[in-house]
Amino acid sequence: MKYGYMNKTMKNYQLTVLIIWFSLAGFAQTSNISEITIHPGKYKQIVWGIGFEIQSDAIGSGNTGLPEDRHAVPHDLKPAERERFSKEMLAGFRYCRLAGGLYWRGLDPERKYMQPRWDTQLEEIRQMMEWAGVEGVSLEYWSPAPYWKANDSYFRIGSDDRNNTLKCFGTGFKNDPVYKGDTIRFLEDFGKACAKDVQTLKDAGINVSMWGLSNEPNVSHSIYSTCKYFTADDYVRSYYYTAKAVRETDKNILLISDTQHGFPEKIATGMHRPEIAELVDAYVVHTVGWDSESVNDVDKRIRKELPFRPWFQNEYEYLSGGATPERCLNTVQHIMNSFQLAENPTWYWIHALKPFKNAEASGYSLGFWNSLLEEHQVKNISGYERWVKGPVMTKLPAEFNEMEYLNAIRPGKDTLPGLGYTFSINQNATAYLLVENKGIYIPDGWKKTDIIIERENGTDVVYTKQLQKGNIVIENHTGKQDGIYGAPHALFLQGEDMQTFRVDVGVNSPANIRSVTMKLELEAAKMEPGTWIYNDFNWNAVGSFVKHMPWDCKVLDLTENSYNKDARIFAFEKPDGKRTIVVSNRTGKNYTFKINTGKKGKWQCHRYTPWERGENTMGVKTEKQKRDEIVTELPHLCWEFWVEN
């Protein structure tokens, strides 16, 4: 009897323990608390500094075309705004990414070497960097000068890209009148040309900190400068001769390779060869707009498959759609994970400023500028343009004013079909397609309505269709009359819930979304020509690190009691020995960090949100703590810098 009682009691005790254990296990899985220990004096990598890219020459909206006008920064800013831009936004950055063959694309008479496209272009860049205190440029070719291309062009001509590559890899190289099929001689001369481009920048007073052979060497475009390397061997051979020439010109330049997405697949095939490996100082990849958690997977693969080199990404932006609060926190955590987990030595955002009229501007830029050029000025803030920079509609159904609106760029020649475009929607929608009546054209799958839209010098017939959420393709207008094609289609969209309805323009798509465009235009209307403003959701994320992290900070090792991909931590020590701890929260609820700092200190909190960055982008000062433990609770979509005083 006594044994039975004890046995029953033991079973009840075990059951109670199990219940408590499962409760604690459940708590651990759903906990909104992280406990972290910082290890003072235990260092990881040194973070050299952060980089940006500059649109120092013109590109068309949606990345379409290389316009002749000088719609570029800092050129297209008033003198005082150039200085403010440099000293206010760019101060703290270490590197300026310079796109050879794209944003630096002027040529000598033989079209062999890069030159300024206007007399003051390089001086404007040099002055910008001097004001900002930027160390140097990272020169990377989107395309070499046309002389070295098989198609004698910066970009692909037509649909066949086989000759949008180096001349020695093109189809007619064996009959080339100069090289007669001698690939090695060609690559040696091409290497000398690359070294000369570097020297041209140095002669202009512009330091070159990094150099890369090719931006995305697997890509070929007809809309902006590209050069495709069809095989890894093509790339590796080209890299050897060009990187060798650059190293002989300046041994202090960091040689980077090869900026493909997620993994440097082309240079990877040559890293077993000593003569190649000794010319690769860092692997560089693109993780364009990827979720912050992807940093872990990229890091694991590079470390597993390649000989050790520092690696980093040098192009981060959001290709389709605009800046949002959620993307702001993703950018914050991508930077944190890159430095804390992947031990990257630097991190790049793609564009400091973009023209506010460009379709890609919101997702790409840290700020917008309003052009000095008359043709880029805002003319109809409240009117609906039938196509980008086109006539304004004069008669429109009232209900259309509550809908989303998309329009596209009209080709320079109306003897070409009206351009199609792509976009995505987050919910089902009723669509109204505006079609210029040309020939016998009828858009496939659309139903004609009785609605007629009037505009300056013309009318449009309206078709309708139910669209399902996801990716949408609007076809070219192929109807024509007397050799003239109809204008590209415009589109009104009625979502199921217009408060939450969202439209994102596709990658490199020559279209504008009115809701995004209108917000930018209303802000731009407050600016004088030649001035600039911040793009808050992108700038607040990147700028917070630029302003709080001096060059050559040491990352501190730390231990997390449990890993939460949406509640991240990053710790570093400044060159003066003072520590900074960064915490961020995008969990959807309040989140608490309990941080054992390893030694006593006086800590000041600087808080950020997508909407608030504080004075001079230094965050909003909140509480102070004076002990060896920091305890802080962050709301959703918030990050903090705890700075040791």
Side-chain angles (χ1 to χ4, degrees):
M1 186 73 177
K2 186 177 181 180
Y3 175 80
Y5 171 77
M6 289 296 294
N7 189 44
K8 182 177 180 181
T9 302
M10 182 60 68
K11 287 181 179 179
N12 289 339
Y13 171 78
Q14 290 172 334
L15 180 61
T16 301
V17 169
L18 284 172
I19 291 171
I20 294 172
W21 187 88
F22 281 121
S23 297
L24 290 173
F27 173 77
Q29 292 173 357
T30 60
S31 172
N32 63 344
I33 297 177
S34 281
E35 296 184 8
I36 297 101
T37 300
I38 309 294
H39 304 295
K42 190 174 181 181
Y43 302 114
K44 303 177 85 170
Q45 85 283 16
I46 292 176
V47 175
W48 306 327
I50 296 176
F52 67 95
E53 186 175 319
I54 193 74
Q55 185 180 311
S56 49
D57 206 333
I59 195 169
S61 180
N63 296 328
T64 54
L66 305 179
E68 289 297 317
D69 60 16
R70 300 176 186 179
H71 195 201
V73 286
H75 178 81
D76 202 18
L77 295 174
K78 292 178 178 179
E81 285 293 274
R82 294 183 190 182
E83 186 172 0
R84 183 174 75 90
F85 166 58
S86 303
K87 294 181 176 180
E88 185 177 310
M89 175 184 276
L90 300 184
F93 283 99
R94 189 165 190 169
Y95 308 114
C96 171
R97 191 177 184 222
L98 185 61
L102 180 62
Y103 299 127
W104 181 38
R105 62 173 183 263
L107 295 167
D108 71 300
E110 292 184 279
R111 294 158 57 86
K112 285 184 174 181
Y113 311 114
M114 301 295 172
Q115 299 289 312
R117 200 164 67 84
W118 56 89
D119 292 344
T120 59
Q121 186 183 25
L122 291 185
E123 171 56 22
E124 291 161 3
I125 296 172
R126 186 206 65 77
Q127 179 66 83
M128 174 194 76
M129 293 171 60
E130 179 182 306
W131 275 331
V134 172
E135 177 192 280
V137 298
S138 177
L139 174 62
E140 187 178 352
Y141 293 100
W142 265 241
S143 170
Y147 177 88
W148 306 105
K149 299 279 292 294
N151 61 1
D152 194 39
S153 170
Y154 271 137
F155 44 81
R156 190 185 75 214
I157 298 173
S159 59
D160 182 9
D161 65 1
R162 193 60 191 86
N163 282 315
N164 189 32
T165 188
L166 290 183
K167 189 179 292 185
C168 62
F169 304 129
T171 56
F173 184 60
K174 66 180 180 181
N175 298 318
D176 183 83
V178 176
Y179 292 100
K180 299 179 173 58
D182 190 338
T183 299
I184 293 178
R185 181 182 161 216
F186 173 88
L187 290 174
E188 287 177 339
D189 286 353
F190 176 44
K192 294 174 184 176
C194 293
K196 183 175 175 62
D197 291 342
V198 168
Q199 192 60 48
T200 296
L201 292 173
K202 294 171 69 175
D203 290 344
I206 297 172
N207 182 52
V208 179
S209 296
M210 302 182 187
W211 176 91
L213 170 62
S214 180
N215 171 72
E216 298 179 356
N218 56 323
V219 174
S220 178
H221 270 310
S222 61
I223 59 175
Y224 63 80
S225 308
T226 50
C227 179
K228 186 170 183 176
Y229 292 79
F230 285 86
T231 69
D233 183 63
D234 288 352
Y235 177 86
V236 171
R237 281 194 290 168
S238 303
Y239 183 85
Y240 171 74
Y241 287 101
T242 53
K244 182 180 177 184
V246 171
R247 170 139 295 166
E248 290 170 353
T249 297
D250 187 342
K251 62 181 174 54
N252 294 317
I253 294 175
L254 188 90
L255 302 178
I256 60 175
S257 188
D258 61 22
T259 66
Q260 293 197 170
H261 289 279
F263 186 78
E265 293 181 355
K266 285 186 166 54
I267 199 63
T269 64
M271 290 303 292
H272 65 286
R273 296 165 51 186
E275 72 276 17
I276 302 297
E278 69 180 9
L279 292 171
V280 178
D281 297 324
Y283 305 122
V284 181
V285 301
H286 287 177
T287 57
V288 178
W290 292 7
D291 185 87
S292 61
E293 188 67 6
S294 66
V295 170
N296 288 317
D297 294 332
V298 174
D299 183 56
K300 287 175 184 176
R301 185 179 177 193
I302 289 176
R303 290 180 182 274
K304 179 181 178 181
E305 298 185 30
L306 296 177
F308 176 77
R309 295 289 187 281
W311 77 269
F312 57 91
Q313 70 76 30
N314 70 338
E315 182 178 319
Y316 203 80
E317 83 269 30
Y318 295 94
L319 287 178
S320 62
T324 67
E326 293 75 19
R327 284 179 165 181
C328 181
L329 264 291
N330 182 62
T331 302
V332 167
Q333 295 191 346
H334 195 283
I335 296 172
M336 295 174 72
N337 287 349
S338 296
F339 291 152
Q340 188 69 54
L341 302 180
E343 300 185 32
N344 294 165
T346 184
W347 189 96
Y348 280 74
W349 181 268
I350 187 172
H351 276 296
L353 298 183
K354 289 289 285 183
F356 75 91
K357 290 284 287 182
N358 280 33
E360 75 282 6
S362 178
Y364 275 48
S365 72
L366 301 177
F368 310 106
W369 92 84
N370 187 1
S371 178
L372 284 166
L373 300 172
E374 177 62 29
E375 59 269 30
H376 290 279
Q377 292 304 303
V378 180
K379 295 196 171 51
N380 297 290
I381 295 174
S382 59
Y384 286 81
E385 291 180 344
R386 174 56 181 82
W387 54 84
V388 178
K389 300 182 184 178
V392 174
M393 299 177 198
T394 57
K395 184 178 180 181
L396 189 70
E399 60 269 26
F400 279 27
N401 287 299
E402 304 303 318
M403 299 182 191
E404 182 61 278
Y405 177 65
L406 283 81
N407 63 356
I409 293 171
R410 186 157 198 175
K413 298 179 180 178
D414 53 14
T415 54
L416 297 173
L419 291 174
Y421 49 94
T422 63
F423 62 93
S424 65
I425 51 178
N426 68 339
Q427 57 188 246
N428 298 341
T430 302
Y432 297 92
L433 190 72
L434 278 59
V435 179
E436 184 176 20
N437 193 10
K438 288 286 185 183
I440 57 173
Y441 173 82
I442 297 175
D444 187 38
W446 293 77
K447 180 181 178 182
K448 188 175 181 180
T449 72
D450 295 328
I451 303 171
I452 300 294
I453 303 294
E454 296 181 7
R455 53 181 163 84
E456 299 169 345
N457 304 318
T459 60
D460 291 285
V461 180
V462 178
Y463 291 78
T464 188
K465 185 179 183 179
Q466 295 298 312
L467 301 181
Q468 302 299 306
K469 70 177 182 179
N471 297 324
I472 309 296
V473 177
I474 300 299
E475 63 186 30
N476 293 350
H477 191 320
T478 56
K480 65 178 178 178
Q481 183 176 330
D482 299 326
I484 303 299
Y485 283 91
H489 307 313
L491 194 68
F492 284 93
L493 294 169
Q494 176 68 55
E496 295 173 334
D497 177 4
M498 291 303 291
Q499 293 297 316
T500 59
F501 186 48
R502 183 179 179 85
V503 184
D504 286 341
V505 168
V507 177
N508 299 330
S509 192
N512 279 339
I513 311 174
R514 183 176 172 84
S515 62
V516 174
T517 302
M518 281 300 294
K519 289 174 185 176
L520 300 185
E521 289 190 5
L522 290 171
E523 286 297 315
K526 304 172 187 176
M527 294 191 293
E528 295 180 5
T531 63
W532 65 275
I533 58 175
Y534 287 102
N535 185 7
D536 291 347
F537 294 155
N538 290 339
W539 168 251
N540 291 358
V542 178
S544 62
F545 290 90
V546 173
K547 300 308 180 185
H548 277 287
M549 289 186 70
W551 302 352
D552 297 327
C553 290
K554 297 177 182 178
V555 177
L556 290 165
D557 196 14
L558 57 82
T559 303
E560 301 177 68
N561 70 320
S562 61
Y563 183 86
N564 188 325
K565 69 181 183 63
D566 294 317
R568 302 305 309 128
I569 185 163
F570 164 44
F572 61 90
E573 184 178 287
K574 297 177 183 178
D576 66 3
K578 299 297 185 181
R579 295 167 293 164
T580 298
I581 299 170
V582 191
V583 288
S584 63
N585 174 28
R586 62 169 187 181
T587 63
K589 57 188 176 182
N590 284 8
Y591 199 91
T592 298
F593 290 87
K594 296 178 66 176
I595 307 164
N596 180 351
T597 68
K599 62 178 181 179
K600 289 184 178 180
K602 297 178 181 179
W603 302 91
Q604 172 67 64
C605 177
H606 300 254
R607 175 172 282 193
Y608 293 84
T609 72
W611 305 272
E612 180 59 68
R613 60 176 170 269
E615 187 177 355
N616 299 321
T617 315
M618 292 302 294
V620 177
K621 288 185 179 181
T622 57
E623 63 180 305
K624 295 180 180 180
Q625 296 190 23
K626 185 180 178 181
R627 50 182 179 268
D628 60 1
E629 183 181 65
I630 295 172
V631 179
T632 181
E633 183 181 50
L634 277 70
H636 176 53
L637 298 183
C638 175
W639 68 105
E640 294 176 343
F641 284 74
W642 284 84
V643 179
E644 185 177 22
N645 294 322

